[in-house]
Amino acid sequence: MPGLETLALSVVAGRGARSEDEARSGWSHLLEHMVFKGAGARSARDIVEVIEAQGGQINAATGYERTSFQVRALKGGLDLGSAVLADLIQRPTMDAADLAREIQVVGQEIAETADTPDDHVFEMAQTAAFAGQPLGRPILGTDASIARADPQSLSDWRAALYAPASLVIVASGAVDEAELLALAERDFGAASGQGALVPAAGAFVGGARTLAKPLEQANLVFLLPAVGVRDPAYFALRIFAEILGGGMASRLFQEAREKRGLAYAVDAYSETYADAGVLGVFAGCAARDAAELAKVAAGEIKGMAAGVSAAELSRAKAQLKASMFMAREQPLARAEQAAAQVLLFDRLLPPAELAEQIDAVTSAQIEALGAAMLVPGRAAASVLGPKGAMKAADAFQQALFG
């Protein structure tokens, strides 16, 4: 990216929490924590100090399908970043005392999620949508599942999760391709390990999860089964979510907030995996308004399945392309986007090609997608908050399917 004085380096494994069985639930996230406790010849403190001493930042993230290790640095920081990430991924120390402490730390992270309503309600919805599957289990795991890990079993899981066949090394910003290739060979050329099993296909189950707690607001999530990122209807789904609740001009914002005053926060989104996906609606509202808000959300979804205007379609396309191009102007976002494309499609997708696919979406495709998502009995809802809000889950199902 000409003109930049910084770079981003990501080493991304195409495996994550979705590759876990129930006994190892949360191990991918626990492992991501553990590698920072010491790797190669560096202690936990050395790992962060050596990067920060050169003005850099180091981080990592675990998802259902990918685990990413990231360094942001000044120009010239590629060599050190590659060496440190290579140690984290291939040579973590895995000390038993460190593991015992980190299990406690992750346990506090699990507890924090339970105490954070707008995190917990999404976790509840995910469990309802994909019950009995890795996609339906929390990425953090449970206290019981992470407590099963020991240094050897977690080391074995590391060899599977970060096997070379699933690794992508990507850099953007102030970087040189020849240098990156040389560093990849130097630092990862001897990587070994057999890959984690490819997860079974995701299957949307649906249902409701409710939890009454003495909160000021009701937190609501409604989900419908959608398509995966490889599906031809992927961009139709993205545009559907944008028109439904992607911004201040969206149908949900205008109807639920501007016209009826039912909520301060209300939006729609799409969450996609390789072979599955969901259309989601999130809202926070007073308990007395929860059922009415559920009906409004259902009504707007059904209305979109009946047709969208040319102006709505044009606005959503412009917003989606702007989001895509803006992300490409940030080195880390661009690197992560590139890694995802290689892992999913085995190639980089040119922006012009993506823009062309977005522009090709028609109103008829939006309507067809809406009809495909509205299958009686196949919806998920989660409600967290005052007892009076619990009826919102049934209200959503009833308004959708009668």
Side-chain angles (χ1 to χ4, degrees):
M1 301 172 68
L4 294 191
E5 295 297 322
T6 66
L7 62 90
L9 171 67
S10 290
V11 181
V12 183
R15 295 287 184 271
R18 193 176 172 185
S19 294
E20 300 164 349
D21 54 27
E22 191 167 4
R24 290 183 286 198
S25 178
W27 283 28
S28 302
H29 173 258
L30 176 62
L31 174 61
E32 175 225 303
H33 276 233
M34 272 303 297
V35 302
F36 282 89
K37 299 297 103 179
R42 297 184 182 90
S43 67
R45 183 166 183 166
D46 292 338
I47 289 168
V48 294
E49 283 191 345
V50 72
I51 294 292
E52 292 182 2
Q54 293 194 7
Q57 302 166 359
I58 187 167
N59 205 351
T62 301
Y64 280 108
E65 295 184 322
R66 290 187 289 280
T67 307
S68 175
F69 294 88
Q70 308 152 352
V71 167
R72 291 280 280 116
L74 296 172
K75 182 189 293 185
L78 197 61
D79 189 313
L80 176 63
S82 178
V84 172
L85 293 188
D87 279 343
L88 294 182
I89 290 167
Q90 298 174 96
R91 291 172 288 276
T93 307
M94 295 295 184
D95 178 76
D98 285 338
L99 177 56
R101 282 190 293 269
E102 208 57 30
I103 287 172
Q104 288 185 307
V105 170
V106 175
Q108 290 305 307
E109 191 175 356
I110 292 170
E112 182 182 39
T113 297
D115 284 343
T116 308
D118 54 355
D119 285 343
H120 194 188
V121 73
F122 280 99
E123 198 171 90
M124 292 164 59
Q126 189 80 7
T127 299
F130 296 101
Q133 306 161 67
L135 280 176
R137 293 194 287 267
I139 290 173
L140 300 182
T142 65
D143 288 332
S145 63
I146 62 173
R148 296 189 187 102
D150 59 65
Q152 186 56 57
S153 61
L154 204 58
S155 292
D156 293 341
W157 186 240
R158 181 207 60 78
L161 201 68
Y162 306 156
S166 69
L167 290 182
V168 173
I169 302 164
V170 56
S172 66
V175 297
D176 176 77
E177 182 179 1
E179 181 187 11
L180 178 64
L181 290 171
L183 292 173
E185 180 62 35
R186 183 195 73 183
D187 295 331
F188 294 90
S192 62
Q194 296 297 316
L197 292 176
V198 176
F204 189 100
V205 176
R209 298 289 189 278
T210 60
L211 180 60
K213 293 186 77 171
L215 302 174
E216 291 296 321
Q217 268 201 325
N219 296 267
L220 318 173
V221 174
F222 306 117
L223 300 178
L224 290 177
V227 298
V229 70
R230 291 189 178 116
D231 194 282
Y234 168 75
F235 282 115
L237 173 63
R238 294 286 304 273
I239 290 172
F240 194 109
E242 181 66 35
I243 295 173
L244 178 63
M248 294 174 68
S250 68
R251 291 191 178 194
L252 272 177
F253 191 94
Q254 289 296 314
E255 184 67 24
R257 176 171 163 167
E258 298 296 277
K259 186 181 292 186
R260 302 184 184 225
L262 295 174
Y264 171 73
V266 57
D267 58 68
Y269 63 95
S270 60
E271 188 75 43
T272 52
Y273 310 100
D275 60 346
V278 296
L279 172 76
V281 172
F282 166 75
C285 66
R288 65 179 179 274
D289 295 326
E292 184 63 23
L293 187 53
K295 295 174 186 176
V296 170
E300 293 301 331
I301 292 171
K302 291 173 70 175
M304 285 194 59
V308 297
S309 70
E312 287 177 313
L313 193 59
S314 177
R315 175 184 61 81
K317 289 177 178 180
Q319 287 291 317
L320 191 52
K321 286 187 289 187
S323 175
M324 179 181 70
F325 289 132
M326 287 176 186
R328 288 185 58 81
E329 294 176 359
Q330 303 171 40
L332 183 57
R334 186 164 179 166
E336 293 287 314
Q337 184 184 85
Q341 290 174 354
V342 170
L343 288 165
L344 286 163
F345 303 103
D346 202 30
R347 68 183 181 97
L348 295 178
L349 306 180
E353 178 183 331
L354 297 175
E356 185 177 333
Q357 292 183 43
I358 292 170
D359 286 334
V361 174
T362 65
S363 177
Q365 289 173 318
I366 299 295
E367 295 168 30
L369 178 64
M373 291 190 293
L374 291 170
V375 179
R378 295 195 70 213
S382 62
V383 182
L384 174 62
K387 187 175 180 179
M390 298 301 107
K391 55 191 176 183
D394 288 337
F396 181 70
Q397 293 267 8
Q398 186 67 23
L400 274 182
F401 306 121

